[in-house]
Amino acid sequence: MSSRDLATLINKAVETIKNDGLVIMPTETVYGLAANALSSSAVAKIFAAKQRPANNPLIVHLHSLDQLNCVVSEFPPLALKLAEKFWPGPITMVLPRKSTLPDIVTAGQPSVAVRIPSHPVALEFLRKCNLPLAAPSANISESISPTRISHIHPRLKALAGIVLDGGFCQIGVESTVLSFINEQPAILRHGGIEIEKIEQLIGQCSIPSSTDSLGSPGRIGRHYAPSTPLTIISNPDELPTSGNFAVVRFSPKSPIGNAVCVVTLSAMFEDIAREIFDTLFNLDKMGLDKIFVYSIPKTGLGMAIMDRLSRASIKHKTTTIPEK
Ligand code: TXA
Ligand code: MG
């Protein structure tokens, strides 16, 4: 698309937001389904479109620190330190909220999650809107987050007035979510900025148990899941001797047994993060009975990748939506 066509489309997207509509926007992590965060009725459309439980709050996206005061009531010094280093970029901070923000955005909680994304199309769109935009990942709840426009469910595309195509998302896993609500900062979701880099800057963070939702229901239970059952393995003995199954591995040396399909990704965590949802999306279309994925170490981005894979491997699926 030419830069002129993109500018025209962004202008239409701004109009859509101002008329309380939904827009699919690219970010550097995954695609988002955006609405004006200051309009309850616009935000209600996000929850309906995604079939998202009303108790799961949304991230508010901003174009600059100047916009913080429309949504946040306090910005602690440690948060500022992180913002100076990592924004625009894949880190979300949970902070005390302004009471003027509609309750639906924060699921009635006294806190709000905010981030400044770095994707140039997202930033341009946010600047032109000059409104805070609530945007969850543009997937139906529990399913794979989209890193390409082609991953987005046709129902969501149809419900969004405008789809802004920003190409393949370069980080590929969602932002890290860090809460400043208690005295010690707490990692609510591992994501695009590694905990090691965060702790280097602001000291030790707590990592609450994964059985406690802490007002962040998005952090527990099945999520990021293809409809084909997925199993994480650490050793080839765990592969079945036969069957219609695929193996995803991170070294050409890892055995694949009798797999009917194999995907070998690079062993670099940045590459795995960028490719993993795309790989699962493609395998999910192949009519396989099972997908086996070799585990990787839980360090750096490996934490976020293993979090997504282990939640994708939880069996019970609660949400289904027909294609049309
Ligand atoms: O990379 C990302 O963060 C993407 C792009 C589109 O920005 N967005 C995204 O949004 O992943 P979503 O809605 O799929 O995930 C937001 C997570 C959920 O786990 C939610 O529970 C948590 O952030 N969250 C949002 N507001 C919160 C709050 N006030 N307190 C605690 N957790 C919150
Ligand atoms: Mg999501």
Side-chain angles (χ1 to χ4, degrees), residues 27 29-33 50 52 56-59 61 92 94 105-106 109 111-113 115 135-137 139 173-175 177 188-189 214-219 223:
T27 83
T29 57
V30 300
Y31 276 84
L33 182 65
K50 274 185 64 99
R52 183 176 177 106
N56 195 0
L58 303 177
I59 296 175
H61 295 67
T92 294
V94 176
V105 176
T106 69
Q109 298 189 57
S111 63
V112 61
R115 91 174 184 100
S137 47
N139 55 325
V173 288
E174 297 84 346
S175 60
V177 179
L188 298 185
R189 177 175 74 185
L214 292 161
S216 190
R219 63 192 297 275
H223 204 340

Side-chain angles (χ1 to χ4, degrees), residues 62-192:
L62 308 173
H63 60 71
S64 69
L65 290 177
D66 297 343
Q67 276 188 305
L68 271 176
N69 64 2
C70 7
V71 288
V72 161
S73 63
E74 245 178 84
F75 200 59
L78 289 185
L80 183 60
K81 237 175 151 175
L82 287 173
E84 283 170 344
K85 172 94 177 161
F86 296 119
W87 277 350
I91 183 165
T92 294
M93 299 192 230
V94 176
L95 298 156
R97 66 176 269 206
K98 277 267 167 76
S99 55
T100 43
L101 192 66
D103 273 350
I104 186 170
V105 176
T106 69
Q109 298 189 57
S111 63
V112 61
V114 287
R115 91 174 184 100
I116 302 180
S118 65
H119 194 293
V121 174
L123 277 178
E124 178 68 5
F125 174 47
L126 281 157
R127 279 193 207 106
K128 284 197 169 158
C129 285
N130 204 22
L131 285 167
L133 298 184
S137 47
N139 55 325
I140 305 295
S141 280
E142 296 185 15
S143 60
I144 302 174
S145 295
T147 52
R148 296 183 189 277
I149 289 290
S150 57
H151 300 167
I152 299 174
H153 196 286
R155 277 272 299 264
L156 290 188
K157 279 191 195 150
L159 287 169
I162 299 278
V163 177
L164 294 175
D165 189 344
F168 188 32
C169 300
Q170 288 303 298
I171 301 287
V173 288
E174 297 84 346
S175 60
T176 304
V177 179
L178 185 65
S179 169
F180 283 94
I181 295 308
N182 294 319
E183 204 169 319
Q184 186 179 29
I187 302 272
L188 298 185
R189 177 175 74 185
H190 293 283

